[in-house]
Amino acid sequence: MDLSEDVISLPAFVSAYGWVPFVAAILFSILFSVVYVKKFWCRSERDKCSAIIAVFGISIALLSAILLPVDVFLVSFMKNSDGSFKDWATNSTRQALEDSVTYTYYSLYGIIFFYTFFVLPLSYFSYEERDEDRGHSFGVFYYCPFVYFGFSVCHIWIVIGWSLYTLQSCSTE
């Protein structure tokens, strides 16, 4: 059976009950982030780029936390009160649902990693105070070593995580 057939065999109400509230949570997290950043935004310096970066960062962090209740709901909704699986929750359907939640986790954590080790360092090191008496301005190439350092740290964490995962899977075999 194809994975797309398994997703099609999933009852529509299960997807609606699980993912529609997550879409509402996405909108809520963006709205909350905008209000939060506007409240604590410095009145004298209105840099739109830093505000957008802050809103996006807070939204992604909130979404990764909000995904956990969706995951718990989808898993618990597949079971009856006695602990057995419902008729529509076949092995392939459960696997398709698990894969979709797993890919969502991976996507959000990947965005957080990219954001933490690329976007934030680049925006931090390239931010320039607006001084009239400042005679020089650094280009983006000046900040590239700092961003490269952030990428290096990111790659080290990825290699460590991959190594630990590989060691764990080898020890269980």
Side-chain angles (χ1 to χ4, degrees):
M1 220 185 222
D2 189 18
L3 183 63
S4 61
E5 293 174 11
D6 296 334
V7 174
I8 291 172
S9 68
L10 183 71
F13 65 89
V14 175
S15 294
Y17 286 156
W19 291 109
V20 169
F22 187 67
V23 171
I26 290 172
L27 297 175
F28 174 74
S29 70
I30 292 171
L31 178 69
F32 174 79
S33 300
V34 168
V35 170
Y36 186 82
V37 168
K38 274 223 178 261
K39 179 172 175 39
F40 293 106
W41 201 359
C42 181
R43 303 282 183 236
S44 63
E45 300 213 13
R46 298 228 173 209
D47 186 27
K48 290 186 185 344
C49 182
S50 61
I52 291 169
I53 289 171
V55 165
F56 189 71
I58 293 170
S59 296
I60 292 298
L62 285 174
L63 287 178
S64 64
I66 292 171
L67 184 60
L68 184 63
V70 173
D71 185 10
V72 170
F73 170 77
L74 289 172
V75 169
S76 66
F77 200 73
M78 288 190 286
K79 292 195 170 198
N80 292 318
S81 58
D82 63 354
S84 63
F85 286 103
K86 294 183 179 178
D87 294 334
W88 57 265
T90 61
N91 285 339
S92 57
T93 305
R94 289 192 306 249
Q95 187 63 40
L97 213 78
E98 179 183 332
D99 289 344
S100 68
V101 172
T102 302
Y103 295 146
T104 307
Y105 274 121
Y106 288 161
S107 300
L108 285 173
Y109 292 145
I111 291 170
I112 288 173
F113 247 71
F114 175 76
Y115 204 76
T116 302
F117 293 106
F118 181 71
V119 174
L120 289 179
L122 184 64
S123 66
Y124 177 77
F125 290 119
S126 65
Y127 179 76
E128 295 179 287
E129 297 283 339
R130 289 176 175 69
D131 284 338
E132 277 75 26
D133 59 318
R134 190 171 180 187
H136 62 283
S137 175
F138 295 112
V140 173
F141 294 112
Y142 175 77
Y143 307 108
C144 285
F146 300 114
V147 175
Y148 180 73
F149 176 73
F151 263 139
S152 300
V153 171
C154 177
H155 282 94
I156 290 169
W157 280 111
I158 288 172
V159 167
I160 290 172
W162 179 75
S163 300
L164 292 175
Y165 178 75
T166 306
L167 289 174
Q168 179 186 11
S169 64
C170 288
S171 66
T172 58
E173 291 178 0

